Amino acid sequence: MKQVIQNKANQVEHLAKELANATSILVFEYHGANTKSIASTRKDLHSATAKMYVAKNNIFNRAFKLAKLDQFGEFKGPNAIIVAHGDEIIPFKQVHKLMQTYKQIVYKTGIINRELIAANQLAAMANIPSRSGLLSMLLSCLQAPTRNLAYGIKSVGEKLPQ
């Protein structure tokens, strides 16, 4: 019995450390998703420096309290937590993909850089391009004037008689 309690305490401490060092956290209800899709999502998250945890709500509640992120209140229902250490938007995108297949999955709440995000805003976050996508869009916008100037000079050069 003492071993079981010690294992749970170790789980709480490990999860609290993960939560404290996370760039973003997503809590969602995973009703209806099958094991294969959850495993696939975990694999995709792992390659993106994020981890998905499924545990008892009591363990989640204690870990959030220990990490000083207890503004959520108490968790109820079948919850899963995704903790990201790299790109902040990755968890939202992965769960959004899962939500398109399984309509029962529901966002509960999220945190980005220690700021609480409401459940109704999380779907909008999932539609934001990744950081590299946003940077490539910015670069394209910055290159556009130079590119247009080069095309203009080239077209003028082609129209001139030889």
Side-chain angles (χ1 to χ4, degrees):
M1 187 68 164
K2 289 183 180 183
Q3 183 66 28
V4 172
I5 293 172
Q6 185 59 41
N7 286 343
K8 288 182 181 181
N10 291 342
Q11 272 185 315
V12 168
E13 287 177 24
H14 173 72
L15 187 56
K17 285 179 188 174
E18 289 280 324
L19 293 170
N21 297 326
T23 55
S24 68
I25 302 165
L26 174 64
V27 181
F28 66 99
E29 215 173 277
Y30 65 94
H31 255 321
N34 63 24
T35 307
K36 185 178 178 182
S37 61
I38 293 290
S40 172
T41 301
R42 279 188 173 178
K43 183 180 175 187
D44 293 343
L45 288 167
H46 186 69
S47 66
T49 66
K51 292 182 182 177
M52 180 174 159
Y53 295 95
V54 176
K56 295 276 189 182
N57 287 330
N58 194 24
I59 291 174
F60 285 153
N61 290 330
R62 289 180 185 195
F64 272 84
K65 203 168 284 186
L66 189 61
K68 295 181 177 43
L69 295 168
D70 51 351
Q71 65 261 37
F72 294 118
E74 299 288 313
F75 293 113
K76 291 180 173 63
N79 294 309
I81 295 176
I82 298 177
V83 180
H85 295 289
D87 190 354
E88 296 91 354
I89 305 299
I90 292 291
F92 307 107
K93 289 185 171 297
Q94 292 297 328
V95 173
H96 194 70
K97 273 198 271 184
L98 205 58
M99 287 174 82
Q100 291 172 345
T101 307
Y102 303 100
K103 301 298 181 194
Q104 302 94 330
I105 294 176
V106 178
Y107 288 122
K108 290 260 183 127
T109 190
I111 295 178
I112 294 181
N113 296 326
R114 295 224 172 272
E115 284 191 38
L116 191 63
I117 311 238
N120 58 359
Q121 295 174 330
L122 294 174
M125 299 291 278
N127 294 324
I128 294 175
S130 67
R131 179 173 287 169
S132 61
L134 288 172
L135 289 174
S136 68
M137 286 180 203
L138 176 65
L139 183 61
S140 175
C141 288
L142 293 175
Q143 287 179 336
T146 308
R147 184 177 46 240
N148 291 341
L149 178 66
Y151 287 145
I153 293 171
K154 180 182 174 188
S155 68
V156 169
E158 289 173 350
K159 288 182 180 178
L160 289 177
Q162 295 283 333

